[in-house]
Coordinates of all heavy atoms in Angstrom, one line a residue:
N60 N -9.1 37.7 -44.3 CA -10.4 37.2 -43.9 C -10.6 35.7 -44.2 O -10.7 35.3 -45.3 CB -11.6 38.0 -44.6 CG -11.7 39.4 -44.1 OD1 -11.2 39.7 -43.0 ND2 -12.3 40.2 -44.9
R61 N -10.5 35.0 -43.1 CA -10.7 33.5 -43.3 C -12.0 33.2 -42.7 O -12.5 33.8 -41.8 CB -9.6 32.8 -42.5 CG -8.3 32.8 -43.1 CD -7.3 31.8 -42.4 NE -6.9 32.4 -41.1 CZ -6.3 31.7 -40.2 NH1 -6.0 30.5 -40.3 NH2 -5.9 32.3 -39.1
P62 N -12.6 32.2 -43.3 CA -13.9 31.8 -42.7 C -13.7 31.2 -41.3 O -12.6 30.6 -41.0 CB -14.4 30.7 -43.7 CG -13.3 30.3 -44.5 CD -12.3 31.4 -44.4
R63 N -14.6 31.5 -40.5 CA -14.5 31.0 -39.1 C -14.5 29.5 -39.1 O -15.3 28.9 -39.8 CB -15.6 31.5 -38.2 CG -15.5 33.0 -38.1 CD -16.6 33.5 -37.3 NE -16.2 33.5 -35.9 CZ -17.0 33.7 -34.9 NH1 -18.3 34.0 -35.1 NH2 -16.6 33.7 -33.6
A64 N -13.7 28.9 -38.3 CA -13.7 27.4 -38.2 C -15.0 26.9 -37.5 O -15.4 27.5 -36.5 CB -12.5 26.9 -37.4
R65 N -15.6 26.0 -38.2 CA -16.8 25.4 -37.6 C -16.5 24.1 -36.9 O -15.5 23.5 -37.2 CB -17.9 25.2 -38.7 CG -18.3 26.5 -39.3 CD -19.5 26.3 -40.2 NE -19.3 25.2 -41.2 CZ -20.2 24.8 -42.0 NH1 -21.3 25.5 -42.1 NH2 -20.0 23.8 -42.9
N66 N -17.3 23.8 -35.9 CA -17.1 22.5 -35.3 C -17.5 21.4 -36.2 O -18.6 21.2 -36.6 CB -17.9 22.4 -34.0 CG -17.4 23.3 -32.9 OD1 -16.2 23.7 -33.0 ND2 -18.3 23.7 -32.0
R67 N -16.5 20.6 -36.6 CA -16.7 19.5 -37.4 C -16.1 18.3 -36.8 O -15.1 18.4 -36.1 CB -16.1 19.7 -38.8 CG -16.8 20.7 -39.7 CD -16.3 20.5 -41.1 NE -16.1 21.8 -41.7 CZ -15.6 22.0 -42.9 NH1 -15.1 21.0 -43.5 NH2 -15.5 23.2 -43.4
R68 N -16.7 17.2 -37.2 CA -16.1 15.9 -36.7 C -14.9 15.6 -37.5 O -14.8 15.8 -38.8 CB -17.1 14.8 -36.8 CG -18.2 15.0 -35.9 CD -19.0 13.7 -35.9 NE -20.1 14.0 -34.9 CZ -20.9 13.1 -34.4 NH1 -20.9 11.9 -34.9 NH2 -21.8 13.4 -33.5
V69 N -13.8 15.1 -36.8 CA -12.6 14.8 -37.5 C -12.6 13.4 -38.1 O -12.0 13.1 -39.1 CB -11.4 15.0 -36.6 CG1 -10.1 14.7 -37.2 CG2 -11.4 16.4 -36.0
S70 N -13.4 12.6 -37.4 CA -13.5 11.2 -37.9 C -14.9 10.9 -38.3 O -15.9 11.5 -38.0 CB -13.1 10.3 -36.7 OG -14.0 10.5 -35.6
N71 N -15.0 9.8 -39.1 CA -16.3 9.3 -39.5 C -16.8 8.3 -38.5 O -16.2 7.9 -37.5 CB -16.2 8.8 -40.9 CG -15.3 7.6 -41.1 OD1 -15.0 7.0 -40.1 ND2 -14.8 7.4 -42.3
R72 N -18.0 7.8 -38.8 CA -18.7 6.9 -37.9 C -17.9 5.6 -37.7 O -17.7 5.1 -36.6 CB -20.0 6.6 -38.4 CG -20.9 5.8 -37.5 CD -22.3 5.6 -38.1 NE -23.2 5.1 -37.1 CZ -24.3 4.6 -37.3 NH1 -24.8 4.6 -38.6 NH2 -25.1 4.1 -36.4
R73 N -17.3 5.1 -38.7 CA -16.5 3.8 -38.7 C -15.3 4.0 -37.8 O -15.0 3.1 -36.9 CB -16.1 3.4 -40.1 CG -15.4 2.1 -40.1 CD -15.2 1.7 -41.5 NE -14.2 0.6 -41.6 CZ -13.4 0.4 -42.6 NH1 -13.5 1.1 -43.7 NH2 -12.5 -0.6 -42.5
Q74 N -14.6 5.1 -37.9 CA -13.4 5.3 -37.1 C -13.8 5.5 -35.6 O -13.1 5.0 -34.8 CB -12.7 6.6 -37.6 CG -12.0 6.4 -39.0 CD -11.5 7.7 -39.5 OE1 -11.9 8.8 -39.1 NE2 -10.5 7.6 -40.4
R75 N -14.9 6.2 -35.4 CA -15.3 6.3 -34.0 C -15.7 5.0 -33.4 O -15.4 4.7 -32.2 CB -16.5 7.3 -33.9 CG -16.1 8.7 -34.0 CD -17.3 9.6 -33.7 NE -18.5 9.4 -34.3 CZ -18.9 9.8 -35.6 NH1 -18.0 10.6 -36.2 NH2 -20.0 9.5 -36.1
R76 N -16.3 4.1 -34.1 CA -16.7 2.8 -33.6 C -15.4 2.0 -33.3 O -15.3 1.3 -32.3 CB -17.5 2.1 -34.6 CG -18.2 0.8 -34.0 CD -19.1 0.2 -35.0 NE -20.1 1.1 -35.6 CZ -20.7 0.9 -36.8 NH1 -20.4 -0.1 -37.5 NH2 -21.5 1.8 -37.2
Q77 N -14.4 2.1 -34.1 CA -13.1 1.4 -33.8 C -12.4 2.0 -32.6 O -11.8 1.3 -31.8 CB -12.2 1.4 -35.1 CG -12.7 0.6 -36.2 CD -11.8 0.7 -37.4 OE1 -11.0 1.6 -37.5 NE2 -12.0 -0.2 -38.3
Q78 N -12.5 3.3 -32.5 CA -11.9 3.9 -31.3 C -12.6 3.5 -30.0 O -12.0 3.2 -29.0 CB -12.0 5.5 -31.4 CG -11.1 6.1 -32.4 CD -11.4 7.6 -32.6 OE1 -12.4 8.1 -32.1 NE2 -10.5 8.2 -33.3
H79 N -13.9 3.3 -30.1 CA -14.7 2.8 -28.9 C -14.3 1.4 -28.6 O -14.1 1.0 -27.4 CB -16.2 2.9 -29.1 CG -16.7 4.3 -29.0 ND1 -16.5 5.1 -27.9 CD2 -17.3 5.1 -29.9 CE1 -17.0 6.3 -28.1 NE2 -17.5 6.3 -29.3
L80 N -14.1 0.6 -29.6 CA -13.6 -0.8 -29.4 C -12.3 -0.8 -28.7 O -12.0 -1.6 -27.8 CB -13.6 -1.6 -30.7 CG -14.9 -2.0 -31.3 CD1 -14.7 -2.7 -32.6 CD2 -15.7 -2.9 -30.4
L81 N -11.4 0.0 -29.2 CA -10.1 0.1 -28.6 C -10.2 0.6 -27.1 O -9.5 0.0 -26.3 CB -9.2 1.0 -29.4 CG -7.7 1.2 -28.9 CD1 -7.0 -0.1 -28.9 CD2 -7.0 2.3 -29.7
D82 N -11.0 1.6 -26.9 CA -11.2 2.1 -25.6 C -11.8 1.0 -24.7 O -11.4 0.9 -23.5 CB -12.2 3.3 -25.6 CG -12.3 4.0 -24.3 OD1 -11.3 4.0 -23.6 OD2 -13.3 4.5 -24.0
V83 N -12.7 0.2 -25.1 CA -13.3 -0.9 -24.4 C -12.2 -1.9 -24.0 O -12.2 -2.4 -22.9 CB -14.5 -1.5 -25.1 CG1 -14.9 -2.8 -24.4 CG2 -15.6 -0.5 -25.2
K84 N -11.3 -2.2 -24.9 CA -10.3 -3.2 -24.6 C -9.4 -2.7 -23.5 O -9.0 -3.4 -22.6 CB -9.5 -3.5 -25.9 CG -10.2 -4.3 -26.9 CD -9.3 -4.6 -28.1 CE -10.1 -5.4 -29.1 NZ -9.3 -5.6 -30.3
V85 N -9.0 -1.4 -23.6 CA -8.2 -0.8 -22.6 C -8.9 -0.8 -21.2 O -8.4 -1.2 -20.2 CB -7.7 0.6 -23.0 CG1 -7.0 1.3 -21.8 CG2 -6.8 0.6 -24.2
R86 N -10.2 -0.5 -21.2 CA -10.9 -0.4 -20.0 C -11.2 -1.8 -19.5 O -11.2 -2.1 -18.3 CB -12.3 0.2 -20.2 CG -12.2 1.7 -20.3 CD -13.6 2.3 -20.5 NE -13.5 3.7 -20.5 CZ -14.5 4.5 -20.6 NH1 -15.7 4.0 -20.8 NH2 -14.4 5.8 -20.6
S87 N -11.4 -2.8 -20.4 CA -11.6 -4.2 -19.9 C -10.4 -4.7 -19.2 O -10.6 -5.5 -18.2 CB -12.0 -5.1 -21.1 OG -10.9 -5.3 -21.9
R88 N -9.2 -4.4 -19.6 CA -8.0 -4.8 -18.9 C -8.0 -4.3 -17.5 O -7.7 -5.0 -16.5 CB -6.8 -4.4 -19.7 CG -5.5 -5.0 -19.1 CD -4.3 -4.7 -19.9 NE -4.4 -5.1 -21.3 CZ -4.1 -4.5 -22.3 NH1 -3.5 -3.3 -22.2 NH2 -4.2 -5.0 -23.6
T89 N -8.3 -3.0 -17.4 CA -8.2 -2.4 -16.0 C -9.4 -2.9 -15.2 O -9.3 -3.1 -14.0 CB -8.3 -0.8 -16.1 OG1 -9.4 -0.4 -16.8 CG2 -7.0 -0.3 -16.8
A90 N -10.6 -3.1 -15.9 CA -11.7 -3.6 -15.1 C -11.4 -5.0 -14.6 O -11.8 -5.4 -13.5 CB -13.0 -3.6 -16.0
T91 N -10.7 -5.8 -15.4 CA -10.3 -7.2 -15.0 C -9.4 -7.1 -13.9 O -9.5 -7.9 -12.9 CB -9.7 -7.9 -16.2 OG1 -10.6 -7.9 -17.3 CG2 -9.3 -9.3 -15.8
Q92 N -8.5 -6.2 -13.9 CA -7.5 -6.0 -12.8 C -8.2 -5.6 -11.5 O -7.9 -6.2 -10.4 CB -6.4 -5.0 -13.1 CG -5.5 -5.4 -14.2 CD -4.5 -4.3 -14.6 OE1 -4.7 -3.2 -14.3 NE2 -3.5 -4.7 -15.3
H93 N -9.2 -4.7 -11.6 CA -10.0 -4.3 -10.4 C -10.8 -5.5 -9.9 O -10.9 -5.7 -8.7 CB -10.9 -3.1 -10.7 CG -10.1 -1.8 -10.9 ND1 -9.5 -1.2 -9.9 CD2 -9.9 -1.1 -12.0 CE1 -8.9 -0.1 -10.3 NE2 -9.1 0.0 -11.6
R94 N -11.4 -6.2 -10.8 CA -12.2 -7.3 -10.4 C -11.3 -8.4 -9.7 O -11.7 -8.9 -8.6 CB -13.0 -7.9 -11.5 CG -13.9 -9.0 -11.2 CD -14.7 -9.5 -12.3 NE -13.9 -10.0 -13.4 CZ -13.9 -9.5 -14.6 NH1 -14.6 -8.4 -14.9 NH2 -13.1 -9.9 -15.6
N95 N -10.2 -8.7 -10.3 CA -9.3 -9.7 -9.7 C -8.8 -9.2 -8.3 O -8.7 -10.0 -7.4 CB -8.1 -9.9 -10.6 CG -8.5 -10.7 -11.8 OD1 -9.6 -11.3 -11.9 ND2 -7.7 -10.7 -12.9
R96 N -8.5 -7.9 -8.2 CA -8.1 -7.4 -6.9 C -9.2 -7.5 -5.9 O -8.9 -7.9 -4.7 CB -7.6 -5.9 -7.1 CG -7.0 -5.4 -5.8 CD -6.4 -4.0 -6.0 NE -5.4 -4.0 -7.0 CZ -5.3 -3.2 -8.1 NH1 -6.2 -2.3 -8.3 NH2 -4.3 -3.3 -8.9
R97 N -10.4 -7.2 -6.3 CA -11.5 -7.3 -5.3 C -11.7 -8.8 -4.9 O -12.0 -9.1 -3.7 CB -12.8 -6.8 -6.0 CG -13.4 -5.7 -5.3 CD -14.7 -5.2 -5.9 NE -14.4 -4.5 -7.2 CZ -15.1 -4.7 -8.3 NH1 -16.1 -5.5 -8.4 NH2 -14.7 -4.1 -9.4
V98 N -11.6 -9.7 -5.8 CA -11.8 -11.1 -5.5 C -10.6 -11.6 -4.5 O -10.9 -12.3 -3.6 CB -11.8 -12.0 -6.8 CG1 -11.6 -13.5 -6.5 CG2 -13.0 -11.8 -7.6
L99 N -9.4 -11.1 -4.8 CA -8.3 -11.4 -3.9 C -8.5 -10.9 -2.5 O -8.2 -11.6 -1.5 CB -7.0 -10.9 -4.5 CG -5.7 -11.2 -3.7 CD1 -5.5 -12.7 -3.7 CD2 -4.6 -10.4 -4.3
V100 N -9.1 -9.7 -2.4 CA -9.3 -9.1 -1.1 C -10.4 -9.9 -0.4 O -10.2 -10.2 0.8 CB -9.7 -7.6 -1.2 CG1 -10.3 -7.1 0.0 CG2 -8.5 -6.8 -1.7
V101 N -11.4 -10.3 -1.0 CA -12.5 -11.0 -0.4 C -12.0 -12.4 0.0 O -12.3 -12.9 1.2 CB -13.7 -11.2 -1.3 CG1 -14.7 -12.2 -0.8 CG2 -14.4 -9.8 -1.5
V102 N -11.2 -13.1 -0.8 CA -10.7 -14.4 -0.5 C -9.7 -14.3 0.7 O -9.7 -15.1 1.6 CB -10.0 -15.1 -1.7 CG1 -9.2 -16.3 -1.3 CG2 -11.1 -15.4 -2.7
S103 N -8.9 -13.2 0.7 CA -8.0 -13.0 1.8 C -8.7 -12.8 3.1 O -8.3 -13.3 4.2 CB -7.0 -11.8 1.5 OG -6.3 -12.1 0.4
Q104 N -9.7 -11.9 3.1 CA -10.5 -11.7 4.3 C -11.2 -13.0 4.8 O -11.2 -13.2 6.0 CB -11.6 -10.6 4.0 CG -11.0 -9.2 3.9 CD -12.0 -8.2 3.5 OE1 -13.1 -8.5 3.1 NE2 -11.7 -6.9 3.7
L105 N -11.7 -13.8 3.9 CA -12.4 -15.0 4.3 C -11.4 -16.0 4.9 O -11.6 -16.6 5.9 CB -13.0 -15.6 3.0 CG -13.9 -16.9 3.3 CD1 -15.1 -16.5 4.2 CD2 -14.4 -17.4 2.0
A106 N -10.2 -16.1 4.3 CA -9.1 -16.9 4.8 C -8.7 -16.4 6.2 O -8.5 -17.2 7.1 CB -7.9 -17.0 3.9
L107 N -8.6 -15.1 6.4 CA -8.2 -14.6 7.7 C -9.3 -14.9 8.8 O -8.9 -15.3 9.9 CB -8.0 -13.1 7.6 CG -7.6 -12.3 8.8 CD1 -6.2 -12.8 9.3 CD2 -7.7 -10.8 8.6
V108 N -10.5 -14.7 8.4 CA -11.6 -15.0 9.4 C -11.6 -16.5 9.7 O -11.7 -16.9 10.9 CB -13.0 -14.6 8.8 CG1 -14.1 -15.1 9.6 CG2 -13.1 -13.1 8.8
I109 N -11.5 -17.4 8.7 CA -11.5 -18.8 9.0 C -10.2 -19.2 9.9 O -10.3 -19.9 10.8 CB -11.5 -19.6 7.7 CG1 -12.9 -19.5 7.0 CG2 -11.1 -21.1 7.9 CD1 -12.9 -20.1 5.6
G110 N -9.1 -18.6 9.5 CA -7.9 -18.9 10.3 C -8.0 -18.4 11.7 O -7.6 -19.1 12.7
L111 N -8.5 -17.2 11.9 CA -8.7 -16.7 13.3 C -9.7 -17.6 14.1 O -9.5 -17.9 15.3 CB -9.2 -15.3 13.3 CG -8.1 -14.3 12.9 CD1 -8.7 -12.9 12.8 CD2 -7.0 -14.3 14.0
S112 N -10.8 -18.0 13.4 CA -11.8 -18.9 14.1 C -11.2 -20.2 14.5 O -11.4 -20.7 15.6 CB -13.0 -19.1 13.1 OG -13.6 -17.9 12.8
V113 N -10.4 -20.8 13.6 CA -9.7 -22.1 14.0 C -8.7 -21.9 15.1 O -8.7 -22.7 16.0 CB -9.0 -22.6 12.7 CG1 -8.1 -23.8 13.1 CG2 -10.1 -23.1 11.7
A114 N -8.0 -20.8 15.1 CA -7.0 -20.5 16.1 C -7.7 -20.3 17.5 O -7.3 -20.8 18.5 CB -6.2 -19.3 15.8
V115 N -8.8 -19.5 17.5 CA -9.6 -19.3 18.7 C -10.1 -20.6 19.2 O -10.1 -20.9 20.4 CB -10.7 -18.3 18.5 CG1 -11.7 -18.3 19.7 CG2 -10.1 -16.9 18.3
Y116 N -10.7 -21.5 18.4 CA -11.2 -22.7 18.8 C -10.2 -23.6 19.4 O -10.4 -24.1 20.5 CB -11.8 -23.5 17.6 CG -12.3 -24.9 17.9 CD1 -13.4 -25.2 18.6 CD2 -11.5 -26.0 17.4 CE1 -13.8 -26.4 18.9 CE2 -11.9 -27.3 17.7 CZ -13.0 -27.5 18.5 OH -13.4 -28.8 18.7
F117 N -9.0 -23.8 18.7 CA -8.0 -24.7 19.3 C -7.3 -24.1 20.5 O -6.9 -24.8 21.5 CB -7.0 -25.0 18.2 CG -7.4 -26.1 17.3 CD1 -7.7 -25.8 16.0 CD2 -7.7 -27.4 17.7 CE1 -8.1 -26.7 15.1 CE2 -8.1 -28.3 16.8 CZ -8.4 -28.0 15.5
G118 N -7.2 -22.7 20.6 CA -6.7 -22.1 21.7 C -7.6 -22.2 23.0 O -7.1 -22.5 24.1
A119 N -8.9 -22.1 22.8 CA -9.8 -22.3 23.9 C -9.8 -23.7 24.3 O -9.9 -24.0 25.5 CB -11.2 -21.8 23.5
R120 N -9.7 -24.6 23.4 CA -9.7 -26.1 23.7 C -8.4 -26.4 24.6 O -8.5 -27.1 25.6 CB -9.7 -26.9 22.4 CG -10.2 -28.2 22.6 CD -10.4 -28.8 21.3 NE -10.1 -30.2 21.4 CZ -10.0 -31.1 20.4 NH1 -10.1 -30.7 19.2 NH2 -9.7 -32.3 20.6
E121 N -7.3 -25.9 24.1 CA -6.0 -26.2 24.8 C -6.0 -25.5 26.2 O -5.6 -26.0 27.1 CB -4.9 -25.7 23.9 CG -3.5 -25.9 24.5 CD -3.1 -27.4 24.6 OE1 -3.7 -28.2 23.9 OE2 -2.2 -27.7 25.4
G122 N -6.6 -24.3 26.2 CA -6.6 -23.6 27.5 C -7.5 -24.3 28.5 O -7.2 -24.4 29.7
A123 N -8.7 -24.8 28.1 CA -9.5 -25.5 29.0 C -8.9 -26.8 29.4 O -9.0 -27.2 30.6 CB -10.9 -25.8 28.2
R124 N -8.2 -27.5 28.5 CA -7.5 -28.7 28.9 C -6.4 -28.4 30.0 O -6.3 -29.1 31.0 CB -6.8 -29.3 27.7 CG -6.2 -30.7 28.0 CD -5.5 -31.2 26.7 NE -4.4 -30.4 26.3 CZ -3.2 -30.4 26.8 NH1 -2.9 -31.2 27.8 NH2 -2.2 -29.7 26.3
R125 N -5.6 -27.4 29.7 CA -4.6 -27.1 30.7 C -5.1 -26.5 32.0 O -4.6 -26.8 33.1 CB -3.6 -26.1 30.1 CG -2.7 -26.7 29.1 CD -1.6 -25.7 28.6 NE -0.8 -26.3 27.6 CZ 0.2 -25.6 27.0 NH1 0.5 -24.5 27.5 NH2 0.9 -26.2 26.1
L126 N -6.1 -25.7 32.0 CA -6.6 -25.0 33.2 C -7.5 -25.9 34.0 O -7.5 -25.8 35.2 CB -7.3 -23.7 32.8 CG -6.4 -22.6 32.3 CD1 -7.3 -21.4 31.9 CD2 -5.4 -22.1 33.3
F127 N -8.3 -26.7 33.4 CA -9.3 -27.5 34.1 C -9.0 -29.0 34.1 O -9.0 -29.6 35.2 CB -10.7 -27.2 33.6 CG -11.1 -25.8 33.7 CD1 -11.2 -25.0 32.5 CD2 -11.2 -25.2 34.9 CE1 -11.6 -23.7 32.6 CE2 -11.6 -23.8 35.0 CZ -11.7 -23.1 33.8
F128 N -8.9 -29.6 33.0 CA -8.8 -31.1 32.9 C -7.5 -31.6 33.4 O -7.5 -32.7 34.0 CB -9.1 -31.5 31.5 CG -10.5 -31.1 31.0 CD1 -10.6 -30.3 29.8 CD2 -11.6 -31.4 31.7 CE1 -11.8 -29.9 29.4 CE2 -12.8 -31.0 31.2 CZ -12.9 -30.2 30.1
E129 N -6.4 -31.0 33.2 CA -5.1 -31.5 33.6 C -4.5 -30.7 34.8 O -3.4 -30.9 35.2 CB -4.1 -31.5 32.5 CG -4.5 -32.4 31.3 CD -3.5 -32.4 30.2 OE1 -2.5 -31.6 30.3 OE2 -3.7 -33.2 29.2
N130 N -5.3 -29.9 35.4 CA -4.9 -29.1 36.5 C -5.0 -29.9 37.8 O -6.0 -30.5 38.1 CB -5.7 -27.8 36.7 CG -5.1 -26.8 37.6 OD1 -4.2 -27.1 38.4 ND2 -5.7 -25.6 37.6
L131 N -3.9 -30.0 38.5 CA -3.8 -30.9 39.7 C -4.8 -30.3 40.8 O -5.2 -31.1 41.7 CB -2.4 -31.0 40.2 CG -1.4 -31.7 39.3 CD1 0.0 -31.7 39.9 CD2 -1.9 -33.1 39.0
D132 N -5.0 -29.0 40.8 CA -5.9 -28.4 41.8 C -7.4 -28.9 41.7 O -8.1 -28.9 42.6 CB -5.9 -26.9 41.8 CG -4.5 -26.4 42.1 OD1 -3.8 -27.1 42.9 OD2 -4.2 -25.3 41.7
Y133 N -7.7 -29.3 40.5 CA -9.1 -29.7 40.2 C -9.3 -31.3 40.2 O -10.4 -31.7 40.0 CB -9.6 -29.2 38.9 CG -9.8 -27.7 38.9 CD1 -9.1 -26.9 38.1 CD2 -10.7 -27.1 39.8 CE1 -9.2 -25.5 38.1 CE2 -10.9 -25.7 39.8 CZ -10.1 -24.9 39.0 OH -10.3 -23.6 39.0
Q134 N -8.3 -32.0 40.4 CA -8.4 -33.5 40.5 C -9.0 -34.0 41.8 O -8.7 -33.4 42.9 CB -7.0 -34.1 40.2 CG -6.6 -34.0 38.8 CD -5.3 -34.8 38.6 OE1 -4.6 -35.2 39.6 NE2 -4.9 -35.0 37.3

Side-chain angles (χ1 to χ4, degrees):
N60 289 339
R61 284 189 287 170
R63 294 179 90 188
R65 295 190 311 180
N66 289 337
R67 285 197 221 171
R68 294 191 176 187
V69 179
S70 60
N71 59 23
R72 188 175 190 196
R73 183 176 165 205
Q74 289 172 337
R75 284 193 306 276
R76 194 175 306 153
Q77 288 177 347
Q78 287 173 351
H79 288 301
L80 286 176
L81 180 62
D82 188 31
V83 169
K84 286 181 183 178
V85 170
R86 285 183 175 177
S87 70
R88 186 176 303 139
T89 57
T91 303
Q92 289 173 348
H93 287 289
R94 185 176 56 243
N95 290 342
R96 188 174 297 130
R97 242 181 288 135
V98 168
L99 181 65
V100 166
V101 168
V102 168
S103 299
Q104 289 175 343
L105 186 63
L107 180 67
V108 167
I109 290 173
L111 285 175
S112 299
V113 168
V115 166
Y116 171 74
F117 283 112
R120 203 170 146 191
E121 181 68 18
R124 185 182 64 80
R125 287 187 183 182
L126 290 175
F127 300 112
F128 300 122
E129 294 181 0
N130 193 346
L131 296 177
D132 294 335
Y133 292 116
Q134 286 184 348

